[in-house]
Amino acid sequence: MKRISLQMLILIMSVLLFTGCNTYTDKGTENYQVHNEGTQIQKINQEYTTNSYNQTFRMHVDNNAEDQVTMLNEVQSATVITVLRKAYVAVVLENGDTERVPGDLKSKIAQQIKHTDESIADVYISSNADFVVSMTDYREQLESGRPIVGLTEDFNATIEGIFPDAR
């Protein structure tokens, strides 16, 4: 009887010891998101998600919006990345202007974006050469489907630099 009690005591203490030392976190575990009716599977690593001011863990490239913007005569090419209800648009203009996008063209672009995705509330547009290069790079990284270390922080820094009032 004494032997069983000693074994039971050791077992209970072991269980309590291991229960108290559990330090498991899900950092680095993988989740999958399915888009376009199951035709595209994107692996998302929770380690790289962040809840920054514009929640860039929900970033995605909007190919439809890009096509609609590119159809405008004044636009040579466009990159559109959406984050929740915001769209960030980098455009290369036919006239080569990298300083500013005329107000009437901004309105046309915003109208095209909002027509393509009715959930978009704010559209931020720039033809700044550095912004165009950065957005093209972000687009390629997002379409690769691999988690990229620092992508959200880089994207946020770029957005804050080009659109300081985008918060």
Side-chain angles (χ1 to χ4, degrees):
M1 183 75 167
K2 195 174 194 180
R3 185 173 182 200
I4 294 175
S5 297
L6 183 58
Q7 289 176 343
M8 194 62 120
L9 179 64
I10 291 173
L11 177 65
I12 290 172
M13 292 196 51
S14 298
V15 169
L16 289 175
L17 176 67
F18 289 120
T19 303
C21 294
N22 183 4
T23 58
Y24 172 77
T25 63
D26 65 349
K27 195 171 196 173
T29 60
E30 297 170 347
N31 290 328
Y32 293 90
Q33 284 185 345
V34 179
H35 299 285
N36 298 334
E37 298 173 8
T39 57
Q40 176 187 5
I41 298 175
Q42 181 179 5
K43 184 167 86 174
I44 298 177
N45 191 324
Q46 291 297 322
E47 182 177 351
Y48 304 119
T49 62
T50 181
N51 196 7
S52 62
Y53 80 91
N54 63 1
Q55 299 190 19
T56 52
F57 62 89
R58 299 189 189 272
M59 292 171 55
H60 77 276
V61 176
D62 192 335
N63 293 315
N64 266 351
E66 288 178 357
D67 293 341
Q68 292 300 316
V69 172
T70 305
M71 290 173 62
L72 296 171
N73 291 333
E74 302 92 341
V75 177
Q76 185 178 23
S77 68
T79 301
V80 179
I81 296 177
T82 60
V83 181
L84 294 177
R85 297 177 42 101
K86 297 179 182 181
Y88 300 97
V89 184
V91 292
V92 176
L93 301 177
E94 285 291 339
N95 67 9
D97 189 355
T98 59
E99 295 300 315
R100 66 178 196 84
V101 178
D104 61 328
L105 181 56
K106 276 188 179 182
S107 296
K108 287 181 191 177
I109 292 171
Q111 185 178 19
Q112 292 289 70
I113 300 283
K114 289 178 180 180
H115 179 72
T116 304
D117 184 351
E118 294 176 359
S119 70
I120 299 296
D122 301 309
V123 180
Y124 300 94
I125 306 161
S126 178
S127 63
N128 177 291
D130 292 335
F131 182 64
V132 170
V133 170
S134 294
M135 288 288 283
T136 303
D137 185 46
Y138 298 141
R139 180 185 204 281
E140 291 171 2
Q141 290 180 45
L142 287 168
E143 288 183 332
S144 74
R146 296 183 314 262
I148 292 95
V149 176
L151 176 66
T152 56
E153 290 81 9
D154 289 345
F155 183 80
N156 287 339
T158 299
I159 296 305
E160 287 175 10
I162 299 294
F163 308 107
D165 299 328
R167 289 182 175 218

